[in-house]
Amino acid sequence: MIPKLLLEATLDTLYMTFVSTFLAFVIGLGLAIILVLTKPNGLKPNKIIFGSLDLVVNVLRSFPFIILIIVLFPFTKFVVGTSIGTSAAIVPLTIGSAPFIARIIENAMNEVDYGIIEAARSFGASRFQILFRVMFVEALPSIINAVTLTLIVVIGFTAMAGTVGGGGLGDVAMRYGFQRFRPDIMAYTVVILIVMVQIIQSTGDLLYKITKK
């Protein structure tokens, strides 16, 4: 029973982690591109858009995740049809992670050498080409680091989501390890989470080295 329980919880945790990180990456990349474009010395400066978006990103990043889950209960139920379960947990996980990853990608793209951008401009590159063929490519190793970091952070968030009905390893640790006084199950969940983080970090480090060459 315990192996099956842990296997299902592990798959649920992986499902929540990768789906929500993917959605957060898509949203975060969009936010980061708008911020980079509209910043004061950006390719298309716009103080109102940059200031508004910058404020929204900062506000969302300041929410403690456990509170964000509770605040989003009505929205989660509207989107998924329920506020409990692994699919429901993806909503707050995505919304909580997107501003985080947006800020990291924005910083990575801002660190691209301005001389390279000017050189691309002098060759007649469009804004789209400068963004995706110059800035995004140059920032790719840092973006991979950002995704790796986000995956690890989201794994921690899934454990918190599990304590309020989100499912996964956090739910098993709470219901069986804590409430039923099963330290062995608690230990298994911790070990699985550690292994999961190690695998993701090692994979991220490998991809970073490959793209950095």
Side-chain angles (χ1 to χ4, degrees):
M1 177 188 172
I2 292 177
K4 184 183 177 185
L5 179 72
L6 292 171
L7 177 62
E8 289 176 353
T10 301
L11 293 176
D12 284 344
T13 296
L14 290 172
Y15 165 65
M16 288 188 285
T17 300
F18 282 97
V19 172
S20 58
T21 301
F22 172 74
L23 295 174
F25 177 78
V26 172
I27 297 170
L29 180 61
L31 293 173
I33 287 172
I34 296 172
L35 286 167
V36 169
L37 270 174
T38 58
K39 68 180 183 178
N41 60 342
L43 298 172
K44 193 173 177 57
N46 187 310
K47 285 184 180 178
I48 296 175
I49 294 177
F50 178 80
S52 304
L53 202 54
D54 190 57
L55 179 64
V56 169
V57 169
N58 284 340
V59 169
L60 289 176
R61 285 178 66 211
S62 66
F63 264 84
F65 184 66
I66 196 74
I67 295 175
L68 185 67
I69 294 175
I70 296 167
V71 169
L72 289 175
F73 268 165
F75 180 71
T76 301
K77 192 169 184 179
F78 171 75
V79 174
V80 186
T82 176
S83 56
I84 297 173
T86 52
S87 294
I90 288 173
V91 175
L93 285 170
T94 301
I95 294 175
S97 307
F100 175 75
I101 200 167
R103 191 62 81 194
I104 297 178
I105 293 176
E106 180 203 1
N107 289 336
M109 294 179 80
N110 283 338
E111 287 175 5
V112 174
D113 189 346
Y114 200 71
I116 298 175
I117 297 171
E118 282 301 305
R121 269 180 169 163
S122 67
F123 282 108
S126 65
R127 292 193 188 101
F128 181 87
Q129 289 171 323
I130 292 174
L131 267 174
F132 290 99
R133 294 189 178 180
V134 179
M135 298 179 77
F136 186 83
V137 172
E138 288 291 322
L140 189 57
S142 298
I143 291 173
I144 287 172
N145 268 343
V147 173
T148 304
L149 181 62
T150 305
L151 281 167
I152 292 171
V153 169
V154 171
I155 286 176
F157 283 173
T158 63
M160 275 192 271
T163 63
V164 290
L169 290 166
D171 180 48
V172 169
M174 175 60 70
R175 286 195 294 125
Y176 292 87
F178 180 69
Q179 294 176 348
R180 299 186 187 182
F181 304 104
R182 292 288 304 271
D184 55 332
I185 293 182
M186 181 70 84
Y188 290 144
T189 59
V190 171
V191 170
I192 292 171
L193 287 169
I194 291 172
V195 170
M196 210 178 279
V197 168
Q198 289 299 317
I199 292 173
I200 290 172
Q201 185 64 61
S202 299
T203 306
D205 290 344
L206 179 63
L207 292 174
Y208 175 83
K209 288 177 183 175
I210 292 172
T211 54
K212 191 71 175 174
K213 289 179 181 176

